[in-house]
């Protein structure tokens, strides 16, 4: 009998739920519509009523809410729907240039330039001296000419796009000769053979995975050869019994045979990285000196600018790329050009202070002693908050530059190792991700690791704030 009455009560409550239109006309909902659009309020209200209906069916709601509760629930739904989808996070993973976390941080110069471009009209494609239309490449091209020695340049949205545009312009319908050991996956499942196929070029593999000789290129040349391509191993490394022709040798062969040459440098470096304690990476300027026709590289990673694909080289090929219909689909907007030009200007003004000017290079080269000091301070703060619930230790570890730059080189680092006593490392990691500023670390050996190479004062404060929130959780 009791069960029957419960079912009857439930049905009565469901029948008494107010109509959406009636609720929308209440004073509380009218006040909400003064701030938010009616469609948004209506959708949020429907979601709130659906929750109440579910609670009635489950037995958790035994009476109808007041009108004020409908409004409060609707307000909470609106807040959830309008919260920014892109949020700041703390990168404590040990991967400095983390693709999933937004890759490179920009210098103050670049940020200021982007803000100015965003808030004002600019001479993006307007020649102020002549009063006529200009090309957007003229903003960055003089800087790249001075920094690399190239004849001309153009900018697209990333290095994969740069490779795609260059291949389609230089070798569509023709064979592109490339070493089998350089048929890499750029990232996100984008592979050189796939990019080549999309460009309309025909892949012609030569050599073996670990050894390719200049004669392999020479013997593969035929009447349908359109390009000699070299891919620098910026995101992979083959060790042991290996050999591959230099770019100078390939360029000389191309000149002899009347075939253009190209190198995908991937990361790209404008200055000697060994001066900052990092392994040597070929300079873009060195490649231009080898007389290669086209070089492509990234605007972020080692360069430290916004994500972009930079194409430098011979003016005749750059001009053809600018006229390629695909260029309009791949070109960058004023914000990227503003950030990139400010980055290039900083290299031109004073490259000796790059570690201070560029946030990413600073993070790559941060002294281990500094990281230990951060670890000691942060450990004491977190231990006070977690008490016996979490055991915290300091451990030396190794991170990486990330995003395919210097793939086998590791960066000595220091981490806080958190081992919870009342829950799992996975749960603790999820709790840190759920805080106001999500803290992203890594799980290793059933412990939660916070690598401190990318943790500065503001990140320390956010980690303490997150720990404070977690400590109050039931």
């Amino acid at each position: 009998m009791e069960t029957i009455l419960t079912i009857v009560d439930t049905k009565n409550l469901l029948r008494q739920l107010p109509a959406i239109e009636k609720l929308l006309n209440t004073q509380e909902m009218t006040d909400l519509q003064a701030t938010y659009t009616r469609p948004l309020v209506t959708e949020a209200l429907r979601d709130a009523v659906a929750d109440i209906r579910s609670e009635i069916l489950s037995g958790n709601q035994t009476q109808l809410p007041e009108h004020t509760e409908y409004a409060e629930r609707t307000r909470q739904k609106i807040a959830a729907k309008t919260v920014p989808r892109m949020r700041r996070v703390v990168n404590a993973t040990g991967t400095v240039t983390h693709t999933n976390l937004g890759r490179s941080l920009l210098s103050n110069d670049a940020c200021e330039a982007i803000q100015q471009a965003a808030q004002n009209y600019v001479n993006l494609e307007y020649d102020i001296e002549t009063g006529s239309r200009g090309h957007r490449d003229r903003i960055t091209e003089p800087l790249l000419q001075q920094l690399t020695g190239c004849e001309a340049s153009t900018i697209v949205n990333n290095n994969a796009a740069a490779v795609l545009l260059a291949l389609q312009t230089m070798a569509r319908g023709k064979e592109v000769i490339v070493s089998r050991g350089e048929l890499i996956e750029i990232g996100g499942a984008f592979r050189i053979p796939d990019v080549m196929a999309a460009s309309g070029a025909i892949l012609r593999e030569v050599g073996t995975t670990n050894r390719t000789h200049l004669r392999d290129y020479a013997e593969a040349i035929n009447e349908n050869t359109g390009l000699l391509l070299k891919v620098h191993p910026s995101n992979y490394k083959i060790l042991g019994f290996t050999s591959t022709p230099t770019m100078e040798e390939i360029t000389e062969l191309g000149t002899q045979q009347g075939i253009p040459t190209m190198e995908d440098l991937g990361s790209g470096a404008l200055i000697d990285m060994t001066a900052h304690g990092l392994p040597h990476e070929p300079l873009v300027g060195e490649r231009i000196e080898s007389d290669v026709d086209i070089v492509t590289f990234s605007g972020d990673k080692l360069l430290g600018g916004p994500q972009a694909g930079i194409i430098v080289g011979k003016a005749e090929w750059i001009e053809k790329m600018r006229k390629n219909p695909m260029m309009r689909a791949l070109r960058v907007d004023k914000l990227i050009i503003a950030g990139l030009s400010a980055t290039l200007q900083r290299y031109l003004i004073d490259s000796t202070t790059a570690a201070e000017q560029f946030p990413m290079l600073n993070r790559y080269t941060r002294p281990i002693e500094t990281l230990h000091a951060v670890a000691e301070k942060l450990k004491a703060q977190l231990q006070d908050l977690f008490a016996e619930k979490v055991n915290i230790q300091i451990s030396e570890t190794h991170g990486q530059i990330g995003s395919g730059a210097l793939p086998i080189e590791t960066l000595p680092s220091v981490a806080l190792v958190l081992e919870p006593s009342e829950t799992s490392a996975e749960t603790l990691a999820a709790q840190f991700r759920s805080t106001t500023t999500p803290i992203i670390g890594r799980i290793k050996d059933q412990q939660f690791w916070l690598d401190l190479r990318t943790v500065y004062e503001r990140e320390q404060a956010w980690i303490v704030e997150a720990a404070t929130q977690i400590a109050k959780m039931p």
Side-chain angles (χ1 to χ4, degrees):
M1 188 68 174
E2 184 177 343
T3 303
I4 295 174
L5 287 174
T6 302
I7 292 173
V8 171
D9 291 343
T10 297
K11 289 183 176 180
N12 285 336
L13 281 175
L14 291 175
R15 275 195 292 267
Q16 293 173 37
L17 279 172
I20 297 296
E21 285 301 319
K22 182 178 179 180
L23 287 171
L24 284 171
N25 290 325
T26 62
Q27 185 60 51
E28 294 84 359
M29 301 304 294
T30 301
D31 291 343
L32 272 178
Q33 292 173 69
T35 304
Y36 303 101
T37 64
R38 184 178 178 88
L40 176 60
V41 174
T42 302
E43 181 184 1
L45 175 58
R46 286 200 179 102
D47 291 345
V49 171
D51 287 348
I52 293 170
R53 184 178 291 109
S54 296
E55 292 168 10
I56 292 173
L57 288 169
S58 66
N60 294 326
Q61 184 82 27
T62 58
Q63 59 184 11
L64 292 179
E66 300 291 335
H67 285 161
T68 54
E69 184 176 340
Y70 287 105
E72 180 56 33
R73 287 182 179 235
T74 300
R75 186 177 291 105
Q76 292 173 4
K77 292 290 185 182
I78 291 173
K81 291 176 182 293
T82 56
V83 68
R85 291 296 186 254
M86 186 177 291
R87 301 166 60 189
R88 74 183 184 200
V89 303
V90 172
N91 174 16
T93 64
T95 301
V96 181
T97 309
H98 200 303
T99 298
N100 297 347
L101 302 182
R103 298 168 73 102
S104 294
L105 307 182
L106 300 182
S107 67
N108 290 335
D109 290 345
C111 291
E112 290 173 8
I114 289 172
Q115 183 175 3
Q116 285 296 319
Q119 295 179 325
N120 297 282
Y121 293 107
V122 295
N123 59 324
L124 179 64
E125 290 187 352
Y126 184 81
D127 190 319
I128 295 176
E129 291 184 2
T130 64
S132 59
R133 181 171 182 171
H135 196 283
R136 62 185 63 194
D137 283 342
R138 65 182 173 71
I139 297 174
T140 53
E141 186 172 72
L143 297 167
L144 287 165
Q145 287 171 332
Q146 291 180 279
L147 289 167
T148 71
C150 68
E151 293 180 6
S153 66
T154 192
I155 312 297
V156 289
N157 51 33
N158 60 29
N159 192 49
V163 174
L164 177 66
L165 180 65
L167 288 174
Q168 192 195 63
T169 303
M170 303 176 78
R172 185 177 184 182
K174 295 185 177 181
E175 290 186 359
V176 176
I177 300 176
V178 59
S179 169
R180 185 168 282 108
E182 297 174 1
L183 297 177
I184 65 169
E185 182 174 298
I186 298 173
F190 291 100
R191 299 176 175 179
I192 285 290
D194 297 336
V195 173
M196 195 173 293
S199 73
I202 302 167
L203 172 63
R204 180 68 185 274
E205 303 175 37
V206 296
T208 63
T209 301
N210 62 317
R211 290 180 69 81
T212 301
H213 304 282
L214 187 63
R215 65 175 181 271
D216 294 320
Y217 286 84
E219 292 170 358
I221 292 174
N222 59 55
E223 65 279 359
N224 196 39
T225 301
L227 181 69
L228 304 182
L229 172 65
K230 185 170 181 62
V231 181
H232 175 66
S234 63
N235 70 344
Y236 77 106
K237 189 75 72 174
I238 299 175
L239 303 176
F241 189 56
T242 64
S243 69
T244 184
T246 64
M247 194 65 239
E248 289 78 6
E249 291 173 324
I250 293 175
T251 299
E252 185 178 352
L253 176 62
T255 301
Q256 293 171 356
Q257 300 292 330
I259 300 171
T261 55
M262 169 182 159
E263 182 169 16
D264 170 22
L265 271 183
S267 298
L270 296 181
I271 60 174
D272 182 7
M273 289 295 162
T274 62
H276 300 281
L278 296 173
H280 174 73
E281 274 284 288
L283 303 183
V284 178
E286 293 175 347
R287 291 307 196 247
I288 294 299
E289 289 178 359
S290 74
D291 205 33
V292 64
D293 289 278
I294 288 295
V295 177
T296 63
F297 58 101
S298 295
D300 54 356
K301 297 184 180 178
L302 296 181
L303 186 61
Q307 181 173 314
I310 303 175
I311 309 174
V312 298
K314 302 289 180 63
E316 62 172 306
W317 288 114
I318 297 295
E319 190 58 36
K320 289 178 180 179
M321 291 178 202
R322 288 174 180 160
K323 295 178 180 178
N324 188 322
M326 188 181 290
M327 181 67 197
R328 190 168 186 84
L330 301 178
R331 71 181 184 179
V332 295
D333 71 347
K334 66 175 183 177
L335 303 185
I336 298 299
I337 290 177
L340 182 59
S341 61
T343 302
L344 296 173
Q345 283 177 329
R346 176 51 57 187
Y347 275 105
L348 198 61
I349 294 170
D350 183 11
S351 63
T352 61
T353 60
E356 290 76 34
Q357 299 294 334
F358 298 116
M360 302 314 291
L361 187 55
N362 187 280
R363 281 156 176 76
Y364 301 150
T365 59
R366 204 171 176 200
I368 194 74
E369 296 79 15
T370 300
L371 302 183
H372 270 291
V374 172
E376 293 290 349
K377 179 180 177 181
L378 199 52
K379 177 186 176 182
Q381 292 173 304
L382 298 192
Q383 201 70 78
D384 286 343
L385 291 168
F386 288 130
E388 302 300 320
K389 292 183 179 180
V390 180
N391 178 47
I392 304 175
Q393 299 296 327
I394 296 173
S395 176
E396 291 197 352
T397 183
H398 287 87
Q400 57 183 353
I401 288 180
S403 290
L406 299 172
I408 67 170
E409 307 296 339
T410 59
L411 301 172
S413 191
V414 176
L416 288 186
V417 183
L418 282 64
E419 187 172 7
S421 59
E422 300 178 359
T423 186
S424 66
E426 288 78 8
T427 298
L428 184 61
Q431 290 174 335
F432 268 101
R433 293 197 306 272
S434 70
T435 56
T436 303
T437 300
I439 314 299
I440 316 298
R442 69 177 188 268
I443 295 175
K444 176 184 176 184
D445 300 329
Q446 296 304 307
Q447 298 167 320
F448 184 51
W449 289 57
L450 296 175
D451 191 298
L452 303 179
R453 177 158 285 282
T454 53
V455 173
Y456 288 69
E457 284 191 14
R458 64 175 187 174
E459 286 84 7
Q460 292 176 52
W462 292 335
I463 291 174
V464 172
E465 179 185 351
T468 302
Q469 294 174 30
I470 295 169
K472 295 177 181 178
M473 293 179 181

